[in-house]
Amino acid sequence: MAVFVALGAFLMTLAGGWTAQRVTDRRHLVLGLAGGLMLGVVGLDLLPEALRTAGREVLGVPAALLLFVAGFLVAHLVERLLAARQAAHGAAGEHNHRAPEVGLTAAGAMVGHSAMDGVAIGAAFQVGGGMGTAVALAVIAHDFADGFNTFTITSLYGNARRKALAMLVADACAPVLGALSTAFFTIPAQLLGGYLGLFGGVLLYLAAAEILPEAHHEHPAHSTLLCTVAGAAFIWLVVGVSG
């Protein structure tokens, strides 16, 4: 079931890459909805489940919350390191505005993250169908933006179109392979809770620091905000029905 659902992420990643070549003025609405879905999953389903499953505390703080904060900080650190590298390449190549390896590095990081998305889907289905469905919705929504960004950033730094397409296909296949890997092992309950907390922190960072700012960057419209609220409300509905 997890692998079947991950195929949705595969298709949405390809759809995001296809849209990157034919971007329309409605992109901000799609990103606004994706941000709302991700926020809803983290706050209404992922984090509560992580707190219930992880159990133990470290110096009076639930381990799931510590890992949640760690996930947020790790995502922030990775983004800052990539930004610093991009700035260094930009400074070093004022007369050559293309630094193809920077685009490939950033796209490669997205592929790795997509593989962990697939593991998250498989791990969530080990908890239960409702949890798996909610996480899958967030991952699928997020992977549209991943596909869009993977193709865009690879092309942006001067890589050939075939390389951008190759990175897009790799990014699309990654969640399927990640979900498939969970069919060969069962994650212990406490470890699973910790992982869900860590993944929740990463997902919240992507929503708050990347997806939603991008959605409102050029189009601070009420319709974008409504899409974000609708996404979070939809996850509330999913959690309520599946619970």
Side-chain angles (χ1 to χ4, degrees):
M1 184 62 181
V3 175
F4 178 76
V5 170
L7 290 175
F10 172 86
L11 295 174
M12 285 299 287
T13 303
L14 293 181
W18 181 85
T19 304
Q21 303 175 65
R22 297 168 176 81
V23 63
T24 69
D25 196 45
R26 300 297 178 184
R27 173 173 173 259
H28 61 290
L29 298 179
V30 175
L31 293 178
L33 179 64
L37 289 170
M38 293 161 67
L39 176 62
V41 164
V42 171
L44 303 178
D45 201 66
L46 243 178
L47 194 53
E49 184 62 38
L51 287 169
R52 283 194 297 268
T53 309
R56 60 188 292 261
E57 294 186 352
V58 179
L59 297 178
V61 178
L65 285 182
L66 289 174
L67 288 167
F68 173 77
V69 173
F72 191 97
L73 293 175
V74 166
H76 178 59
L77 176 62
V78 170
E79 185 195 45
R80 290 296 90 204
L81 289 175
L82 286 174
R85 180 170 180 176
Q86 290 175 16
H89 278 279
E94 287 184 353
H95 302 293
N96 180 9
H97 297 292
R98 294 183 175 183
E101 66 276 10
V102 178
L104 291 175
T105 299
M110 292 180 183
V111 172
H113 172 68
S114 292
M116 295 309 295
D117 282 349
V119 173
I121 292 176
F125 270 101
Q126 289 185 12
V127 173
M131 179 66 157
T133 301
V135 170
L137 283 172
V139 168
I140 289 171
H142 171 219
D143 280 353
F144 179 90
D146 264 5
F148 189 99
N149 292 332
T150 297
F151 185 89
T152 299
I153 199 169
T154 307
S155 302
L156 183 67
Y157 284 92
N159 290 284
R161 185 172 182 273
R162 60 181 177 81
K163 287 188 177 181
L165 289 174
M167 295 305 296
L168 174 63
V169 171
D171 192 45
C173 292
V176 179
L177 296 176
L180 181 62
S181 71
T182 63
F184 301 100
F185 61 88
T186 299
I187 303 176
Q190 286 195 344
L191 182 61
L192 177 60
Y195 175 75
L196 292 177
L198 184 72
F199 179 69
V202 172
L203 202 62
L204 181 63
Y205 182 84
L206 291 172
E210 295 187 12
I211 302 298
L212 291 177
E214 182 67 20
H216 290 275
H217 177 60
E218 295 181 357
H219 296 273
H222 295 304
S223 56
T224 306
L225 179 59
L226 288 175
C227 284
T228 302
V229 174
F234 179 71
I235 294 298
W236 185 17
L237 179 64
V238 169
V239 171
V241 171
S242 63

